[in-house]
């Protein structure tokens, strides 16, 4: 693969190395931050929806909230597609490091637990690709408003806003919780292994 020039990485950096810097498995703190931002965005949007949902006097404010929802829906779906794409690449071994010096402590712990793709169950493979299919479907669906931009279309697309935002909040709250637990467990496992040697 030809080298690309990137000021933050150096002249001999490959695309794989640049992409690896954004992988959820290799840099979980970045994705924890991204998921926290989307969770906060969900909460503020839900608050805006609940404030304006019964306000029949102010159509302009309702349209603004509906537009904010559609941008949120597109943004959250785009982040989901990127995150699950990185997970698929990780699952297929695209980012495998050639030496342990390229790995973080968390990665070494995870690789010791997983011991390669051959130990993955059929269920893990199925769920990963089903998640990718859902992410792609909802991303394409969220882009459809770009091609049918009208007031009626915005209102039609935004009818289920409160329910959709609540589901997204629950999903992102679970992801943030799961990431906290995984990071805490990997840190404890690393400390136990360090103390035992």
């Amino acid at each position: 693969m030809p080298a690309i020039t990137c000021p933050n990485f150096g002249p001999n950096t490959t695309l794989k190395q640049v992409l690896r810097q954004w992988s959820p498995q290799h840099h979980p703190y970045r994705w924890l931050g991204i998921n926290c931002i989307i969770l906060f965005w969900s909460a503020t949007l839900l608050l805006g929806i609940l404030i304006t949902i019964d306000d029949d006097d102010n159509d302009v404010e309702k349209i603004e909230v509906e537009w904010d929802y559609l941008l949120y829906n597109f943004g959250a779906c785009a982040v989901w597609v990127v995150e699950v794409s990185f997970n698929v690449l990780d699952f297929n071994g695209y980012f495998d490091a050639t030496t342990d010096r390229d790995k973080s402590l968390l990665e070494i712990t995870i690789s010791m637990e997983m011991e390669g793709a051959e130990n993955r169950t059929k269920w893990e493979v199925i769920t990963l690709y089903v998640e990718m299919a859902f992410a792609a479907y909802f991303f394409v669906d969220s882009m459809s408003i770009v091609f049918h931009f009208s007031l009626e279309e915005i209102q039609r697309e935004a009818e289920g806003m409160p329910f959709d935002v609540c589901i997204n909040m629950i999903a992102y709250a679970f992801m943030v919780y799961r990431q906290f637990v995984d990071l805490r467990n990997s840190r404890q496992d690393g400390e136990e292994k360090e103390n035992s040697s």
Side-chain angles (χ1 to χ4, degrees), residues 138-190:
F138 285 113
F139 178 71
V140 169
D141 182 60
S142 71
M143 285 183 10
S144 69
I145 192 66
V146 173
F147 301 111
H148 304 289
F149 185 72
S150 68
L151 183 58
E152 295 83 28
E153 187 71 20
I154 289 173
Q155 289 174 342
R156 184 187 67 75
E157 291 286 329
E159 283 178 5
M161 299 187 291
F163 182 70
D164 185 42
V165 173
C166 285
I167 288 174
N168 285 347
M169 276 183 61
I170 291 168
Y172 275 99
F174 175 74
M175 284 182 15
V176 166
Y177 167 76
R178 191 184 71 205
Q179 286 174 322
F180 270 123
V181 169
D182 289 346
L183 289 170
R184 187 188 69 217
N185 290 342
S186 67
R187 216 181 266 164
Q188 287 173 350
D189 291 343

Side-chain angles (χ1 to χ4, degrees), residues 47-56 62 65 159 161-162:
L47 183 63
I49 290 169
L50 293 176
I51 289 171
T52 61
I53 199 166
D54 293 325
D55 189 9
D56 294 330
K62 272 187 164 181
V65 168
E159 283 178 5
M161 299 187 291

